[in-house]
Amino acid sequence: QSRTAPGVAGPERSGRTMNLNFRLLLLSCCLLLGSCGNVGVERYTAQRPSLDLPAFFSGPVQAWGIFQKPSGEVVKRFKVDITSRREGERLILDERFLYSDGTRQQRVWTLTPEGHGRWLGRAADVVGEASGEIAGNALRWRYRLNLEVDGRTWEVSFDDWMYLMDEDTLINRSSMSKLGFELGQVTLFFRRQAGAPGSIK
């Protein structure tokens, strides 16, 4: 009968140990890559034109977007119609989504300025509060969202970066993750509609 000497791992135990070590190494690499790619919004302080959220959303806005898997495959396309109103200092954004599969969704944001370019946001499917910071032409927007997928609700994290290209055009790229692992990317193109105050004709 074969025995393993004390302190020496057998083939099965050794395989499990190597598998665990590999997973820990993979997790560490993912976290390291995420931290290395973490650029602060203050880097864009000097970039122009400056982003003014109430001014950009002072009239009707339309947006077009895609959702991609980490592999790059586009799995969903959508369009958004956005209307807004002011309630004192707060900015209310009513977003109406139409997805490529015909489904519809509504999200109403209540955005509150906190001073020094900082904003807080609330919506029905947002966990707690969203946190945003503007510098120059850029806005970084971070929040956790209860997302319904195949009849189940997942709490996922969003890291949004928005860049003002001109008075009427805003580009948004979002990373969606859970437990530190990226689930996909969302890319959005916002366009202020003709007739909106201050829009380019």
Side-chain angles (χ1 to χ4, degrees):
Q1 181 178 358
S2 173
R3 294 194 173 188
T4 302
V8 178
E12 183 179 348
R13 181 180 175 186
S14 177
R16 288 199 302 266
T17 302
M18 290 178 64
N19 188 36
L20 176 60
N21 289 339
F22 176 75
R23 283 184 289 178
L24 290 174
L25 177 62
L26 182 61
L27 176 60
S28 298
C29 289
C30 289
L31 294 176
L32 179 60
L33 287 172
S35 63
C36 290
N38 192 8
V39 177
V41 72
E42 65 277 359
R43 174 165 296 188
Y44 303 101
T45 300
Q47 296 296 314
R48 296 294 180 268
S50 297
L51 176 59
D52 182 329
L53 277 184
F56 186 84
F57 289 101
S58 60
V61 173
Q62 287 188 330
W64 300 263
I66 56 173
F67 172 72
Q68 295 172 275
K69 293 181 178 180
S71 65
E73 177 189 358
V74 175
V75 293
K76 190 167 288 189
R77 294 172 288 112
F78 56 93
K79 179 184 176 184
V80 195
D81 288 301
I82 306 169
T83 57
S84 65
R85 68 181 188 274
R86 298 294 298 272
E87 292 183 356
E89 290 190 336
R90 297 187 301 174
L91 176 63
I92 312 299
L93 300 181
D94 187 343
E95 301 177 331
R96 307 292 178 103
F97 294 79
L98 174 60
Y99 294 93
S100 51
D101 61 3
T103 59
R104 296 178 180 271
Q105 183 186 18
Q106 180 183 17
R107 178 175 298 115
V108 179
W109 284 99
T110 298
L111 308 183
T112 305
E114 293 289 295
H116 304 290
R118 297 183 181 274
W119 288 78
L120 294 179
R122 287 186 175 275
D125 51 356
V126 171
V127 180
E129 288 184 323
S131 174
E133 185 178 1
I134 295 175
N137 74 328
L139 164 64
R140 188 178 190 185
W141 196 238
R142 287 177 283 188
Y143 55 96
R144 289 175 294 133
L145 188 71
N146 285 323
L147 189 66
E148 289 190 16
V149 180
D150 298 328
R152 299 177 59 188
T153 300
W154 295 64
E155 183 179 310
V156 298
S157 298
F158 279 81
D159 189 355
D160 288 9
W161 281 90
M162 300 183 182
Y163 303 94
L164 185 66
M165 307 302 290
D166 59 43
E167 292 181 7
D168 291 339
T169 311
L170 185 67
I171 293 177
N172 175 30
R173 184 165 174 80
S174 305
S175 175
M176 188 173 70
S177 63
K178 185 174 178 63
L179 301 177
F181 290 93
E182 187 178 68
L183 302 177
Q185 295 273 347
V186 178
T187 303
L188 267 170
F189 171 87
F190 295 84
R191 185 73 177 171
R192 279 158 48 89
Q193 298 305 289
S199 64
I200 298 174
K201 305 299 186 292

